[in-house]
Amino acid sequence: MLSLLRVFTSRLGGFFGRRKADLEFDEEMRIHLHLLTEQGIRRGMSREEARAAARRQFGNIPLLQQSRREMRSIVSIDNLVRDLRFAARQLRRSPSLTSVAVISLALGIGANTAIFTIAKKVLFDSLPVKNPQDLRLLTWVSGHQQPVPPVWGDLGATEEGGLRSTAFSYPVLEELRKKTEVFADLIAFKPISLTVTVDGNPELIDGEMVSGNAFSRLGVEPLLGRPLMPADDAAPGKGPVAVISAGYWAERFGRSSSVVGKTISVNGVPVTVVGVSPARFTGLQMGYGTQIFVPLTMQPLLVPREQLTESGSTSLLNNPQSWWVLILARLRPDVPEARAQAALDLVLRQKAMADLPRARGMDQFHLRLEPGDRGLDNLKSGFAKSLYVLFSLAGLVLLLACVNLANLLLARAAARQREMSTRLALGAQRIHILRQVLTESLLLSTMGGVAGLVLGYLGRNVIPRLLASPSQPAMTVVDFDWPVLAFTAGLSLATGVLFGIVPAWQATRSDGNAALNDAHHATAGHRGMWFGKALVVFQIGLSTILLIGAGLFVRTLANLNHTPLGFRADHILLFRLNPPRTRYSDARMMAFYQQLEEKLASLPGVRSVSMSNIAIIGDGHSGSTFHVSGRPVETEAVRVQTNHVGANFFQTMGIPLLQGRGFDLHDTAASPRVAVVNRALARQFFPNENPIGKTFEADAEDVNAPVEIVGIAADTRYADLRSDTPPTFYLPYSQALVLGRMVIEIHTQAEPASILSQVRSVVASMDRDLPLIDVRTMTEQIKATMSGERIFAQLTSGFGLLALVLACIGIYGIMAYTVARRTGEIGIRMALGAEAGQVLRMVLREASWMALAGVALGLGSALWLARFLGAMLYGLKPSDPPTLAGAAVLLLLIALLAAFGPARRASRVDPVHALRHQ
């Protein structure tokens, strides 16, 4: 063992200081040759004869030098260094090829790296907490009937057609906490937006109300100060403290250590900052940045909610009718998950039945444990499908770049055939040539990978921002870490092997005797080029797929842009206000909104002002049941959309009233309840009768009496541009029992931005601690809802353009090489009477059949793949004929234009010169 170690150490040392050792060995051989030569002269030989005899006796000097290097160094490292030096020299001799290769690979690898960085966050990353794999998110499921009162939080559908939610009541949480034999920890939290005022500057930020044990049980240590503690959460209002995030600390407080102990205003309540969370911990919502953490029991003070109960309490902590808390459980290692789920399910059902004796569907009401390593995970549903499509497109671009480079390197290998044959004739082994050519390919892919890594790093946050929308904010933290570097390195290695293996194999197939004979090339024609042409066909097929994808997404965006809205979109300024409940009762909030309408309407340049609970397009939706009074009760409740609006809403938004009237100042809380319905609702519920004067009931939280229909409005798009107009009824906000956030709509004479400063002044004059939220124009709001379609159109168009460029390079390269190889054949044809036009058509015909075959291959593949994109398209089918035909015609034209240069060169071949060259 020691001897092997000494040999290895000696050889490793021989790798360094090699130049000096080579010089010493050369000097030693020179002395030996000189002594042998002198010995021959003394025997009577001439100096030339003595030198020749000495060389014969001494042996093959290059072979001795090589053997000595192998004895004194590690052969593999030595060979690698030599191959890399030779490959670098070869690439320097072909700067055009090197530039094309590196740029193509950088674009392909960079796109894949950027998308993988996001995909890792969306699909694989866990919360940066202690043992996240042990966490479970508590979820309840039911049948199609909702067994609990309206939920403040997530409520969705299951695959079986039932309902699913992660929201629980606080009394249920307290009951579950008693079941300590099946779990180690229960951590409760609630994401919420909070108005925070620091040094007189109000702003709306993302926050989380968390239980006092959250930081300690998750193993999150603060950067500064202390975390929230169980004592802060022991009783309602006992802990007016907060922990802020590292990002908010840097942005708002300049990383000052004096932030600990500072008092800030949160929804009008004085709160003391006690700590700063670590930079990697951004809350319990995966991918989104929580900026402030407050104790869960601060809810009655920070976000009081009137529950319309007999007590009139604004606290959710003792109200079994309010389901709003999210719960993470850390299971005990000695308790099987099935047993823990069964035990917690029993507690949930017993408590829910006791608290909600009149609830329906309790027989299908159960608790489930879902993976909680990602906390509340809305990333997958929001981004996963888009990322899969982008990953596929980026993969096709990288494959296209690899095929293009394989074709170029294949032609280059054929051009170096004489060099390879000479090396084989001089004794080089085929495995050494294979290794050398592969080294060149891997060096190219490494250079492209490094450039792609830089592009991926620079573009890691671009796609999330482009994919974000008002209802789906962008991810705040995208990690560029070791897994990303490993992915890029592996991708670079794979691409180097992928586009280098065929040229390397081709290089080792040279026949030394044939390749060194010039006559071998005289009529080579297209022999040996079938594989290169097959690669071009495959390349055109990939380009066709990318072009069709680009066409489908561009046409989808165009169709959305031309979708009839049903309302006015120009010269509309939007912003949202959310007066905190701590300072605004319902009566005060009503007076505030009505006074604000009057003041804004009096501003110069304002045509009209209104408000709505939900802005049209891109601001979510609000649902309610709808039952026409006097009709039999439906077996299954029918749900429609609803919106609380101002008296001038239809005028401000330019929505025509088709029948009846709108709202006016006489519609107050003391007057009979009224509503305006849209045409879609009138058609569905009153197909053969006039709905004006009819009444209906609804389960909206502030509708407690029958509502009379007083008007019919035209249909408009509601939540987005893709969905058909849903049945909708509008209620005047002046009759609302419970008020909250409102969106203010201002119709201006000039550009909306021109009055923004005056609007801010009006709001500040009424409440300087009330920030304007999401200030934008209606046009910007609509564009934001199409951000996903826009980014797909832009990226696929870029991918399609790159595909066209690479296809051009591929066709031009293969045709130019074919013409060069067939120069002798073309010269013979022209010497026998062929005209230039015939030669031109011959070359173009060869390019045409390759293009036709590639387009046919691409069309078939695109038709099969496009069916997976059906849900992402709008206004067209995946087999859209204009898109398919346009992509096919464009590629055929590009192929002919790329082949025209080599074809024209072939038609101008001088027969005499061509034959003399052969």
Side-chain angles (χ1 to χ4, degrees):
M1 186 67 182
L2 290 175
S3 61
L4 290 176
L5 183 61
R6 282 195 297 268
V7 171
F8 177 79
T9 305
S10 175
R11 293 194 173 191
L12 186 62
F15 181 73
F16 301 99
R18 173 177 151 185
R19 183 175 182 82
K20 180 180 178 182
D22 287 345
L23 292 175
E24 292 176 352
F25 185 69
D26 291 345
E27 178 63 19
E28 185 177 350
M29 286 192 299
R30 190 187 66 77
I31 293 174
H32 278 286
L33 285 172
H34 177 72
L35 292 176
L36 290 174
T37 301
E38 292 297 326
Q39 185 178 358
I41 292 173
R42 286 195 297 270
R43 292 177 180 174
M45 298 181 185
S46 65
R47 180 168 293 278
E48 288 73 14
E49 292 174 342
R51 186 178 293 112
R55 288 184 177 276
R56 286 194 300 271
Q57 183 179 352
F58 193 78
N60 190 326
I61 293 177
L63 183 60
L64 291 172
Q65 291 173 328
Q66 180 65 26
S67 300
R68 179 254 172 202
R69 291 194 191 99
E70 293 177 357
M71 291 176 62
R72 286 186 52 85
S73 64
I74 301 174
V75 179
S76 57
I77 297 179
D78 190 59
N79 290 339
L80 176 62
V81 172
R82 187 171 61 252
D83 288 344
L84 285 173
R85 288 175 177 170
F86 184 79
R89 289 197 301 270
Q90 291 294 323
L91 295 180
R92 281 198 301 269
R93 292 176 182 174
S94 305
S96 299
L97 173 67
T98 303
S99 300
V100 169
V102 172
I103 293 173
S104 301
L105 290 175
L107 291 173
I109 293 175
N112 280 272
T113 299
I115 295 172
F116 174 78
T117 305
I118 306 163
K120 185 175 72 70
K121 187 74 174 180
V122 171
L123 302 175
F124 307 117
D125 280 358
S126 299
L127 292 174
V129 299
K130 179 179 66 176
N131 300 326
Q133 70 280 0
D134 296 337
L135 295 175
R136 297 294 182 271
L137 182 67
L138 272 60
T139 305
W140 61 258
V141 296
S142 68
H144 65 275
Q145 290 183 327
Q146 183 173 325
V148 301
V151 172
W152 178 26
D154 173 44
L155 179 63
T158 63
E159 295 180 356
E160 298 81 13
L163 298 175
R164 169 195 177 278
S165 179
T166 55
F168 295 83
S169 69
Y170 198 86
V172 167
L173 168 65
E174 291 183 314
E175 197 68 24
L176 291 172
R177 280 173 170 166
K178 301 175 183 178
K179 207 68 177 174
T180 56
E181 67 270 16
V182 296
F183 61 83
D185 304 303
L186 273 188
I187 300 153
F189 66 103
K190 177 63 180 178
I192 190 170
S193 297
L194 298 168
T195 300
V196 176
T197 303
V198 180
D199 298 330
N201 299 312
E203 62 178 326
L204 190 74
I205 65 175
D206 294 322
E208 279 183 11
M209 296 187 292
V210 298
S211 55
N213 66 340
F215 280 80
S216 60
R217 296 305 184 185
L218 293 173
V220 178
E221 296 293 334
L223 281 176
L224 196 66
R226 68 170 179 87
L228 297 180
M229 303 173 68
D232 301 323
D233 194 42
K238 186 176 181 180
V241 295
V243 170
I244 61 175
S245 70
Y248 190 62
W249 176 46
E251 175 188 347
R252 181 56 95 170
F253 300 98
R255 298 182 180 273
S256 171
S257 60
S258 62
V259 70
V260 176
K262 184 178 180 64
T263 299
I264 61 176
S265 172
V266 180
N267 277 10
V269 177
V271 170
T272 303
V273 177
V274 296
V276 178
S277 65
R280 285 186 57 81
F281 182 70
T282 57
L284 297 174
Q285 290 190 91
M286 195 66 195
Y288 300 103
T290 299
Q291 295 167 290
I292 188 169
F293 302 88
V294 294
L296 194 66
T297 53
M298 287 291 291
Q299 177 271 321
L301 295 180
L302 297 179
V303 280
R305 290 175 67 91
E306 294 187 15
Q307 302 304 303
L308 301 180
T309 58
E310 294 181 0
S311 65
S313 172
T314 60
S315 174
L316 304 182
L317 303 179
N318 55 8
N319 190 347
Q321 301 287 328
S322 297
W323 291 61
W324 60 287
V325 180
L326 288 77
I327 305 172
L328 281 173
R330 188 184 294 279
L331 300 181
R332 294 173 64 94
D334 57 337
V335 178
E337 185 169 333
R339 178 188 160 193
Q341 177 171 299
L344 295 176
D345 178 51
L346 181 62
V347 174
L348 171 67
R349 288 170 55 80
Q350 289 176 344
K351 183 62 176 173
M353 288 180 183
D355 291 341
L356 308 170
R358 298 180 182 178
R360 296 180 298 175
M362 278 293 175
D363 56 326
Q364 296 180 318
F365 184 59
H366 292 285
L367 182 141
R368 285 183 183 174
L369 295 179
E370 297 186 352
D373 60 318
R374 295 169 58 84
L376 180 60
D377 184 13
N378 294 319
L379 282 182
K380 287 185 180 179
S381 59
F383 290 100
K385 186 173 182 179
S386 301
L387 283 175
Y388 286 136
V389 174
L390 288 178
F391 229 147
S392 301
L393 294 175
L396 287 178
V397 170
L398 183 58
L399 181 59
L400 182 60
C402 289
V403 171
N404 186 65
L405 291 177
N407 212 355
L408 292 177
L409 291 179
L410 194 64
R412 185 167 177 263
R416 295 174 63 187
Q417 191 174 15
R418 181 181 297 276
E419 171 198 340
M420 300 302 175
S421 300
T422 303
R423 293 170 66 180
L424 288 170
L426 292 176
Q429 297 182 10
R430 295 184 185 273
I431 188 64
H432 291 167
I433 294 178
L434 178 69
R435 185 188 67 209
Q436 176 60 60
V437 178
L438 266 180
T439 301
E440 294 180 24
S441 301
L442 290 172
L443 183 58
L444 272 177
S445 67
T446 301
M447 295 165 63
V450 172
L453 188 65
V454 174
L455 291 178
Y457 178 79
L458 296 176
R460 70 194 187 282
N461 290 319
V462 173
I463 295 177
R465 290 171 184 164
L466 292 174
L467 287 176
S469 65
S471 61
Q472 184 70 61
M475 290 176 285
T476 57
V477 179
V478 179
D479 298 321
F480 205 81
D481 48 16
W482 287 109
V484 176
L485 297 178
F487 170 81
T488 306
L491 195 62
S492 302
L493 179 64
T495 54
V497 173
L498 180 64
F499 70 73
I501 190 67
V502 173
W505 172 74
Q506 182 72 19
T508 61
R509 296 180 64 239
S510 297
D511 183 352
N513 294 330
L516 291 173
N517 185 2
D518 279 344
H520 174 72
H521 299 280
T523 57
H526 56 271
R527 287 202 313 266
M529 293 303 298
W530 65 269
F531 193 81
K533 293 177 181 178
L535 287 178
V536 170
V537 170
F538 183 62
Q539 188 176 2
I540 294 174
L542 290 177
S543 302
T544 304
I545 295 172
L546 289 169
L547 276 180
I548 291 173
L552 291 175
F553 284 115
V554 168
R555 293 205 62 201
T556 290
L557 181 61
N559 291 341
L560 286 171
N561 279 322
H562 292 89
T563 299
L565 300 174
F567 61 89
R568 178 189 298 115
D570 60 303
H571 292 87
I572 298 290
L573 177 68
L574 303 175
F575 63 92
R576 181 158 51 95
L577 293 177
N578 191 15
R581 280 283 178 182
T582 53
R583 295 190 290 113
Y584 284 85
S585 63
D586 282 322
R588 184 185 176 191
M589 197 176 297
M590 180 74 72
F592 171 82
Y593 282 140
Q594 291 175 344
Q595 185 181 2
L596 179 63
E597 271 196 273
E598 294 175 2
K599 288 192 173 185
L600 291 176
S602 66
L603 290 176
V606 173
R607 293 180 183 271
S608 62
V609 178
S610 187
M611 300 185 184
S612 61
N613 178 244
I614 295 173
I616 303 178
I617 307 295
D619 196 34
H621 54 83
S622 177
S624 170
T625 59
F626 187 91
H627 171 69
V628 180
S629 301
R631 292 183 183 177
V633 178
E634 295 85 356
T635 306
E636 256 185 60
V638 180
R639 299 193 70 82
V640 299
Q641 299 301 314
T642 182
N643 200 356
H644 286 80
V645 301
N648 297 322
F649 177 76
F650 300 104
Q651 173 190 349
T652 301
M653 298 305 299
I655 302 174
L657 282 172
L658 306 178
Q659 193 174 345
R661 71 173 178 88
F663 305 127
D664 55 37
L665 298 179
H666 298 94
D667 298 316
T668 65
S671 64
R673 303 279 176 174
V674 295
V676 172
V677 302
N678 69 350
R679 180 186 288 174
L681 188 144
R683 279 197 303 261
Q684 179 174 338
F685 291 93
F686 308 95
N688 299 312
E689 54 183 320
N690 186 355
I692 302 297
K694 305 289 184 182
T695 61
F696 66 89
E697 294 94 26
D699 69 351
E701 64 177 357
D702 56 355
V703 177
N704 59 357
V707 183
E708 180 186 354
I709 299 174
V710 297
I712 302 176
D715 289 340
T716 69
R717 298 292 171 172
Y718 185 74
D720 56 66
L721 297 176
R722 289 176 171 267
S723 306
D724 294 332
T725 302
T728 306
F729 66 87
Y730 302 91
L731 301 171
Y733 81 82
S734 57
Q735 293 186 337
L737 300 178
V738 178
L739 280 176
R741 76 158 203 173
M742 294 294 281
V743 177
I744 289 80
E745 296 103 358
I746 304 176
H747 180 205
T748 63
Q749 295 177 357
E751 288 300 319
S754 63
I755 67 164
L756 183 55
S757 60
Q758 302 175 64
V759 170
R760 292 187 185 276
S761 298
V762 168
V763 175
S765 69
M766 297 179 65
D767 188 340
R768 65 183 184 87
D769 291 328
L770 195 61
L772 274 65
I773 307 164
D774 294 338
V775 180
R776 72 275 193 204
T777 66
M778 177 55 76
T779 303
E780 293 170 342
Q781 173 93 351
I782 295 171
K783 287 182 178 179
T785 64
M786 297 187 292
S787 59
E789 288 81 2
R790 185 174 295 106
I791 180 59
F792 270 100
Q794 292 171 346
L795 289 178
T796 53
S797 297
F799 290 157
L801 180 61
L802 181 60
L804 283 178
V805 172
L806 293 176
C808 262
I809 294 173
I811 294 171
Y812 179 86
I814 194 67
M815 296 312 300
Y817 179 66
T818 299
V819 168
R821 288 282 297 259
R822 299 175 63 183
T823 300
E825 173 196 342
I826 294 171
I828 294 174
R829 287 175 180 269
M830 299 190 75
L832 294 177
E835 297 181 357
Q838 292 176 312
V839 173
L840 181 70
R841 288 191 294 274
M842 177 187 71
V843 177
L844 290 178
R845 188 164 51 248
E846 189 170 354
S848 299
W849 77 253
M850 286 192 293
L852 286 170
V855 167
L857 176 65
L859 285 174
S861 302
L863 287 173
W864 183 80
L865 291 172
R867 58 191 180 132
F868 300 108
L869 303 178
M872 303 180 71
L873 304 179
Y874 177 77
L876 71 163
K877 296 181 179 179
S879 57
D880 182 54
T883 303
L884 300 181
V889 170
L890 181 59
L891 266 172
L892 289 174
L893 289 176
I894 290 295
L896 291 177
L897 287 174
F900 183 77
R904 190 163 179 267
R905 195 179 308 121
S907 67
R908 295 185 172 186
V909 167
D910 182 358
V912 176
H913 176 77
L915 294 175
R916 182 180 298 145
H917 176 72
Q918 295 299 328

